[in-house]
Amino acid sequence: MSRRAKRYWLMKSEPDDFSIDDLEGVASEPWTGVRNYQARNYMRDDMKVGDEVLYYHSNAKPSGVVGIAKVSKEAYPDATQFDKKSKYFDPKATKEEPRWVHVELAFVKKFDRVVDLAELKGNPKLEEMLVIKRGQRLSIQPVDVEHFREVKKMPTKKA
DNA sequence: GCCAACGTTGGC
DNA sequence: GCCAACGTTGGC
């Protein structure tokens, strides 16, 4: 038996590309196109079905956490790496040895309001959270359970 | 659109 | 294995 505590994550998406509303409209979304090794490793090694995800809109007005998603399928090879027409095509990837994998995400809830980056930064309980640290560009980040719970509460309070 | 921060690539 | 050049991310 290999039970494991649920883990928590933050995943960024540009809303022009794929927003929380887009996620709400699908049963399960293959999170293709991640081309960063650390982010890939999190998906490949650490993300399990049922893990909860803070859904973060980047390059948005404003940027911030907009809702909750969950992992609906564990990692498998990213088909776009083999597709010459895709902008995610990787000539060094082979079917025998795929470089890139991805999980699938499902919609859980949308917050009543965006918890933007400034508000995250202004919350002393989130001081150690990765997303508010300078230069933190990783599109998939682990989140402490305490931070996850705190962010989840924020939309019900005044900014 | 600017630019700081960071990751990747490739020459040596 | 170093490191400069280049590309990307993402806030502002």
Side-chain angles (χ1 to χ4, degrees):
Chain A
M1 187 151 119
S2 60
R3 265 178 175 277
R4 135 195 186 290
K6 187 193 282 191
R7 289 192 189 173
Y8 299 88
W9 306 93
L10 179 144
M11 294 172 76
K12 298 180 186 173
S13 182
E14 302 200 9
D16 290 344
D17 188 35
F18 198 83
S19 71
I20 185 97
D21 296 320
D22 295 325
L23 186 67
E24 187 170 12
V26 298
S28 188
E29 176 67 11
W31 209 251
T32 58
V34 171
R35 294 294 179 270
N36 171 283
Y37 289 106
Q38 203 177 340
R40 178 205 66 183
N41 293 348
Y42 283 137
M43 289 199 284
R44 186 190 61 193
D45 303 332
D46 298 321
M47 295 181 78
K48 302 296 177 195
V49 169
D51 282 4
E52 289 191 79
V53 176
L54 295 173
Y55 201 91
Y56 182 94
H57 280 174
S58 60
N59 273 321
K61 293 174 188 173
S63 292
V65 179
V66 293
I68 310 278
K70 67 181 177 194
V71 176
S72 49
K73 188 167 180 184
E74 277 161 38
Y76 61 95
D78 183 337
T80 63
Q81 70 194 305
F82 309 123
D83 179 1
K84 285 204 170 101
K85 285 175 292 189
S86 170
K87 67 170 174 170
Y88 300 119
F89 176 67
D90 183 345
K92 291 179 182 163
T94 63
K95 301 244 170 169
E96 293 71 32
E97 281 184 77
R99 274 193 170 189
W100 306 109
V101 300
H102 61 78
V103 298
E104 291 191 6
L105 288 191
F107 177 84
V108 174
K109 70 183 283 191
K110 183 179 176 178
F111 289 163
D112 293 334
R113 63 181 183 83
V114 178
V115 177
D116 69 25
L117 187 58
E119 192 181 347
L120 294 172
K121 285 179 174 169
N123 185 334
K125 291 181 184 164
L126 302 179
E127 247 173 342
E128 295 304 313
M129 198 175 172
L130 287 176
V131 71
I132 67 174
K133 296 200 173 176
R134 201 173 112 132
Q136 178 55 311
R137 301 181 313 169
L138 205 59
S139 66
I140 300 176
Q141 306 174 0
V143 174
D144 291 346
V145 61
E146 296 81 12
H147 294 155
F148 184 90
R149 288 184 183 139
E150 180 63 22
V151 173
K152 204 174 167 179
K153 280 189 286 191
M154 288 169 77
T156 65
K157 300 174 182 172
K158 272 272 156 253

